[in-house]
């Protein structure tokens, strides 16, 4: 049955000025899937090509020979598309508004002309350090303009960037430098965030102890605080930029040359280097940015993500700048100096489209409406969310309190692997329902498969695993250095489809509802991490024999980290040891991975073959012990009683 009553329809006034209405969406969508070559052939022309493509789509999902190419004989440069081609018309328009962590520090308005100057200089600095086409450059920076310059400078000379979120630890950084084989790491002295400061340079020093001594370290002196300095290895970026030439010709790149590698959180413990290429990725990032946010010339767009996540790549940098937009880069956090910070920035810069994560909204909601109502938010036209399913309570608060019922909410479902939005309502066209990412973007063919049989469920109402039937230009091409793993992860389980790893329900209106992930990844405050990564960190501690980590419902974070820990025989459980383990995980992986609750587990529920039954641990952590299911295959069923008796709910 259709649940029209839940729907919020776009207002006629909004639709009148939008890029597209419902009939337009239906028509364009139909064409995009019936004639993908014609459709994407036309859409690709929104970019500037040095050599136009004659090939549009060469893709196969066949397991064993998965190969994805778009615009494969076209030649372009991504930085020229984000900068140079805008200069005739927009040289004095603001490209980036930089809003620093400290609200007392003035914002910077960086014009397209200035962006061009900085990126060209930065590109020359990279060349002077021996960075060549195809080389990897790891970027470990705060949310400062230099992060944008570094990304675009790599694109300009054909180097492949790999951003590591500044919240990650030295170990995580070292792993990524080594896996990508980077020649250079770009960092800053310190990263101020929420009034606190992370010592990025000394983290990088620690990481580089585990890397080849050939890796160079480019340091952005951002706060000016004193840091160590290794002669011959460390380089002062700003100094070199001042002395570099402001001209560096954009290198002609093939559409399928890699633009960046971005490591996902890694559900199996070893993070995957997701590879995105140039022509298709940029076409897709730009097109989704334009339609999903209904971006118009002159609008100010703000995506609050960090550039360390794919959302920052596609919707702070590449999508907006390809469209000649004004994009906001925010160094801070939503709650510093107070819970009104987001809204103060929206008022100050007259933000038109605002894009954030449900976890941020839940944290802000907890502070009530006053911090929102203090500011004039009348500039806001569209509100977006991404990262996890948004609970209806947060959706309604976003809609009523932030948007005053006038700004359509676009709930966007996508992944690092997809490059851009796959499911999202186009705001002038599609009525929304709280918690649903609604309908597919152009060219996207979602299907729901029965999880066990792998059969496609063709009825409108369906529930199962979410797969994609055919390629779209923003799709990842491979796992860095491991095409085998790419195929096995995404194409093996359900032959002929791209497997998203998410569960999904389709309702009577054909709307899609993501029900969560099928695998074992947990989502803590919008940061996703593989439980295996936290487990490996725990067992690396000398006192720990074994550990199993699951998510559990957490009011603010969405999911919290629940760790079951079995100690070595000679160890006594104590609160001091709990603290020690928390600090341990923090330093091994980073602050976001710190367990929220540690339960001492003298034994873990295991099958006879020795596999931990996570299903049971999840039930206990969710306080859902009434429906344990079959536990007869357990080697020792008595451990379950003990775990229930000492769970977070029992104390
Ligand atoms: P890894 O693949 O290493 O486990 P990850 O999946 O945690 O990493 P991302 O690619 O950033 O990292 O996250 C994509 C996932 O986030 C989706 O597969 C989905 O589970 C969830 N997600 C993102 N946006 C939404 C949304 N709007 N609604 C529901 N879920 C979402
Ligand atoms: Mg994933």
């Amino acid at each position: 049955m259709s649940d029209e009553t839940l729907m919020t329809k776009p207002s006629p006034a909004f639709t009148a000025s939008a890029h597209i209405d419902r009939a337009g969406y239906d028509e364009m969508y139909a064409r995009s899937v019936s004639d993908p070559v014609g459709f994407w052939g036309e859409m690709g022309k929104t970019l500037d090509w040095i050599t136009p493509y004659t090939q549009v789509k060469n893709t196969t999902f066949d397991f064993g020979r998965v190969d994805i190419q778009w615009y494969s004989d076209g030649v372009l440069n991504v930085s020229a598309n984000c900068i140079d081609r805008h200069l005739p018309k927009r040289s004095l328009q603001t490209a980036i508004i930089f809003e620093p962590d400290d609200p007392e520090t003035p914002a910077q308005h960086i014009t397209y002309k200035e962006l061009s100057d900085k990126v060209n200089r930065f590109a020359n600095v990279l060349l002077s350090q021996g960075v060549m086409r195809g080389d990897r450059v790891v970027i470990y920076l705060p949310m400062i303009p230099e992060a944008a310059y570094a990304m675009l400078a790599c694109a300009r000379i054909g180097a492949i960037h790999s951003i590591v979120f500044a919240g990650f630890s030295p170990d995580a950084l070292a792993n990524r430098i080594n896996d990508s084989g980077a020649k250079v790491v770009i960092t800053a002295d310190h990263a101020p965030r929420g009034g606190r400061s992370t010592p990025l340079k000394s983290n990088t020093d620690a990481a580089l102890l585990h890397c080849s001594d050939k890796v160079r370290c480019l340091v952005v002196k951002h706060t000016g605080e004193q840091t160590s300095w290794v002669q011959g290895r460390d380089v002062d970026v700003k100094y070199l930029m001042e002395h570099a030439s402001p001209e560096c010709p954009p290198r002609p790149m093939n559409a399928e040359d890699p633009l960046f590698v971005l490591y996902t959180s890694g559900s199996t413990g070893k993070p995957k280097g997701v590879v995105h290429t140039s022509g298709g990725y940029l076409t897709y990032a730009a097109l989704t940015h334009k339609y999903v946010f209904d971006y118009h010339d002159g609008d100010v767009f703000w995506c609050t993500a960090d550039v360390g996540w794919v959302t920052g790549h596609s919707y702070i940098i590449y999508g907006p700048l390809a469209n000649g937009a004004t994009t906001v880069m925010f160094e801070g956090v939503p709650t510093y100096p107070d819970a009104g910070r987001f809204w103060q920035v929206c008022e100050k810069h007259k933000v038109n489209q605002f894009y954030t994560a449900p976890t941020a909204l839940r944290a802000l909601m907890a502070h009530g409406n006053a911090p929102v109502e203090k500011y004039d938010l009348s500039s806001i036209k569209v509100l977006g969310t991404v990262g996890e399913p948004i609970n209806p309570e947060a959706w309604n608060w976003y809609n009523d309190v932030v948007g005053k019922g006038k700004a359509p909410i676009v709930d966007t479902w996508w992944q690092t692997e997809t490059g851009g939005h796959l499911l999202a309502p186009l705001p002038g066209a599609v009525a929304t329902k709280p918690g649903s990412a609604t309908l597919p973007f152009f060219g996207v063919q979602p299907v729901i498969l029965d999880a066990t049989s792998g059969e496609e469920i063709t009825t409108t109402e369906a529930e199962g695993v979410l797969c994609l039937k055919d390629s779209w230009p923003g799709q990842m091409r491979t796992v860095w250095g491991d095409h085998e793993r790419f195929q096995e992860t995404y194409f093996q389980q359900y032959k002929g489809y791209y497997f998203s790893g998410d569960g999904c329900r389709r309702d009577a209106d054909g709307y899609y509802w993501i029900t969560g992930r099928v695998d074992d990844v947990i989502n803590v405050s919008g940061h996703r991490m593989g439980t295996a990564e936290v487990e490996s960190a725990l067992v690396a501690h000398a006192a720990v024999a074994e550990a199993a980590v699951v998510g559990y419902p957490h009011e603010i974070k969405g999911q919290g980290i629940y760790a079951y820990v079995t100690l070595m025989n000679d160890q006594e459980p104590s609160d001091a040891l709990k603290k020690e383990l928390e600090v341990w995980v923090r330093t091994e992986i980073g602050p976001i991975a710190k367990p929220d609750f540690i339960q001492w587990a003298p034994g873990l529920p295991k099958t006879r073959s020795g596999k931990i039954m996570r299903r049971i641990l999840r039930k206990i952590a969710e306080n859902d012990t009434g429906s344990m299911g079959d536990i007869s295959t357990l080697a020792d069923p008595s451990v379950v009683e003990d775990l229930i008796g000492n769970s977070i709910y029992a104390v």
Side-chain angles (χ1 to χ4, degrees):
M1 212 183 64
S2 163
D3 44 6
E4 283 236 357
T5 47
L6 286 177
M7 286 199 187
T8 305
K9 298 209 167 83
S11 75
F14 187 98
T15 300
S17 63
H19 287 304
I20 202 163
D21 62 8
R22 181 62 197 242
Y25 164 74
D26 288 342
E27 190 215 305
M28 241 166 114
Y29 179 76
R31 203 178 126 230
S32 73
V33 295
S34 66
D35 176 22
V37 171
F39 181 83
W40 290 112
E42 195 181 301
M43 293 304 147
K45 290 187 186 143
T46 53
L47 299 183
D48 269 13
W49 295 84
I50 297 164
T51 308
Y53 47 86
T54 63
Q55 298 290 308
V56 174
K57 181 177 187 286
N58 300 89
T59 65
T60 170
F61 283 3
D62 286 354
F63 183 68
R65 47 184 210 98
V66 174
D67 188 26
I68 295 153
Q69 300 191 37
W70 286 87
Y71 311 117
S72 59
D73 59 350
V75 175
L76 82 170
N77 181 280
V78 166
S79 95
N81 272 282
C82 291
I83 304 170
D84 306 43
R85 66 167 173 156
H86 301 314
L87 291 176
K89 195 175 139 199
R90 303 183 192 276
S91 70
L92 298 180
Q93 182 198 311
T94 300
I96 297 176
I97 299 176
F98 171 56
E99 177 65 34
D101 184 49
D102 178 1
E104 302 300 322
T105 309
Q108 285 177 38
H109 292 255
I110 299 150
T111 64
Y112 271 93
K113 176 89 190 66
E114 287 160 346
L115 179 64
S116 168
D117 179 86
K118 300 284 194 195
V119 169
N120 277 273
R121 287 173 189 269
F122 208 125
N124 281 322
V125 170
L126 290 174
L127 290 174
S128 77
Q129 298 306 308
V131 177
M132 293 187 291
R133 173 185 188 139
D135 284 346
R136 276 77 61 207
V137 172
V138 164
I139 300 176
Y140 183 59
L141 283 175
M143 281 288 291
I144 54 177
E146 282 76 10
Y149 306 156
M151 294 165 79
L152 293 160
C154 286
R156 197 157 189 90
I157 63 171
I160 303 165
H161 62 69
S162 182
I163 306 191
V164 177
F165 174 54
F168 277 134
S169 69
D171 272 354
L173 176 61
N175 286 339
R176 287 154 176 80
I177 292 173
N178 291 333
D179 188 81
S180 66
K183 218 178 197 175
V184 158
V185 53
I186 304 172
T187 190
D189 41 15
H190 279 76
R193 207 157 167 260
R196 279 183 282 179
S197 183
T198 309
L200 291 188
K201 173 61 166 63
S202 56
N203 283 355
T204 308
D205 288 339
L208 286 176
L209 294 176
H210 307 284
C211 304
S212 151
D213 56 14
K214 296 207 180 67
V215 179
R216 297 221 138 195
C217 181
L218 274 56
V219 184
V220 176
K221 293 190 174 169
H222 174 51
T223 63
E225 283 159 276
Q226 200 70 31
T227 64
S228 65
W229 204 261
V230 178
Q231 285 303 333
R233 185 198 73 185
D234 297 350
V235 173
D236 179 341
V237 178
K238 283 190 177 169
Y239 176 83
L240 288 187
M241 279 174 77
E242 274 167 35
H243 294 85
S245 155
E247 265 165 62
C248 177
R251 195 170 180 127
M253 301 300 290
N254 187 269
E256 283 300 337
D257 281 332
L259 177 62
F260 64 84
V261 178
L262 182 59
Y263 287 85
T264 64
S265 24
S267 44
T268 55
K270 187 175 181 281
K272 295 185 282 281
V274 169
V275 176
H276 281 289
T277 57
S278 304
Y281 169 79
L282 194 63
T283 301
Y284 200 73
L287 200 73
T288 47
H289 172 259
K290 173 180 168 180
Y291 281 101
V292 173
F293 299 111
D294 198 48
Y295 184 86
H296 289 261
D297 227 19
D299 286 347
V300 175
F301 180 81
W302 183 16
C303 162
T304 70
D306 191 281
V307 286
W309 311 113
V310 72
T311 309
H313 284 64
S314 300
Y315 300 113
I316 295 176
I317 307 294
Y318 290 116
L321 294 178
N323 288 334
T326 299
T327 181
V328 177
M329 262 185 107
F330 176 48
E331 189 180 25
V333 297
T335 47
Y336 174 80
D338 58 52
R341 183 65 163 134
F342 270 1
W343 323 120
Q344 181 240 336
V345 175
C346 283
E347 176 186 277
K348 181 171 166 189
H349 299 302
K350 301 199 168 45
V351 169
N352 299 113
Q353 291 90 6
F354 178 76
Y355 189 31
T356 197
T359 179
L361 294 173
R362 282 194 300 268
L364 293 175
M365 238 174 100
H367 293 266
N369 301 352
V372 190
E373 282 159 0
K374 224 172 117 184
Y375 298 100
D376 175 7
L377 300 182
S378 57
S379 59
I380 290 180
K381 297 194 279 192
V382 175
L383 294 170
T385 99
V386 60
E388 56 183 309
I390 180 166
N391 48 309
E393 211 190 350
W395 196 100
N396 285 321
W397 185 78
Y398 205 22
N399 186 60
D400 302 344
V401 181
V402 180
K404 319 279 185 274
K406 285 190 299 212
I409 293 187
V410 292
D411 178 353
T412 61
W413 175 82
W414 60 297
Q415 313 177 295
T416 310
E417 295 89 337
T418 71
H421 308 138
L422 292 196
L423 298 173
L426 304 192
V430 176
T432 54
K433 300 182 195 182
S436 170
T438 74
L439 301 176
F441 190 72
F442 307 136
V444 173
Q445 298 186 56
V447 291
I448 293 184
L449 307 186
D450 179 273
T452 27
S453 72
E455 293 293 319
E456 195 174 321
I457 308 176
T458 51
T459 48
T460 307
E461 285 184 79
E463 181 152 8
V465 297
L466 180 58
C467 290
L468 282 307
K469 208 161 143 166
D470 198 0
S471 184
W472 61 99
Q475 185 172 22
M476 80 183 275
R477 304 302 198 248
T478 191
V479 170
W480 181 257
D482 199 348
H483 196 63
E484 203 76 347
R485 188 169 176 207
F486 175 58
Q487 298 204 52
E488 283 163 10
T489 311
Y490 305 103
F491 301 95
Q492 184 168 36
Q493 205 159 343
Y494 302 104
K495 298 280 178 339
Y497 300 96
Y498 167 84
F499 171 45
S500 73
D502 284 341
C504 187
R505 179 171 72 82
R506 187 168 53 214
D507 72 13
D509 297 310
Y511 277 39
Y512 291 85
W513 301 73
I514 305 298
T515 50
R517 42 186 72 242
V518 182
D519 62 12
D520 270 322
V521 172
I522 50 183
N523 188 330
V524 183
S525 299
H527 298 305
R528 267 168 298 280
M529 96 196 79
T531 51
E533 212 181 349
V534 186
E535 290 168 7
S536 341
L538 281 167
V539 294
H541 188 283
V544 176
E546 202 165 23
V549 169
V550 296
Y552 76 106
H554 188 287
E555 230 181 348
I556 303 288
K557 301 180 176 181
Q559 268 187 311
I561 300 179
Y562 195 117
Y564 298 90
V565 173
T566 310
L567 291 175
M568 296 289 187
N569 272 340
D570 58 353
Q571 294 289 327
E572 277 302 309
S574 70
D575 285 348
L577 183 53
K578 269 190 194 172
K579 266 262 152 324
E580 190 180 319
L581 291 178
E582 286 173 4
V583 173
W584 173 264
V585 175
R586 235 185 120 97
T587 35
E588 288 280 299
I589 309 175
I592 49 174
K594 183 174 91 62
D596 295 284
F597 185 75
I598 293 178
Q599 176 173 355
W600 302 124
L604 291 168
K606 290 189 189 164
T607 62
R608 274 159 229 273
S609 61
K611 262 210 208 140
I612 297 174
M613 271 193 154
R614 299 165 167 288
R615 172 169 66 78
I616 291 174
L617 295 175
R618 245 182 257 125
K619 293 267 183 204
I620 296 172
E622 289 165 8
N623 202 16
D624 181 19
T625 51
S627 55
M628 270 319 182
D630 183 12
I631 57 168
S632 62
T633 54
L634 282 179
D636 176 12
S638 74
V639 300
V640 176
E641 285 312 312
D642 174 82
L643 290 176
I644 294 173
N646 293 294
S647 81
I648 192 171
Y649 306 101
V651 280

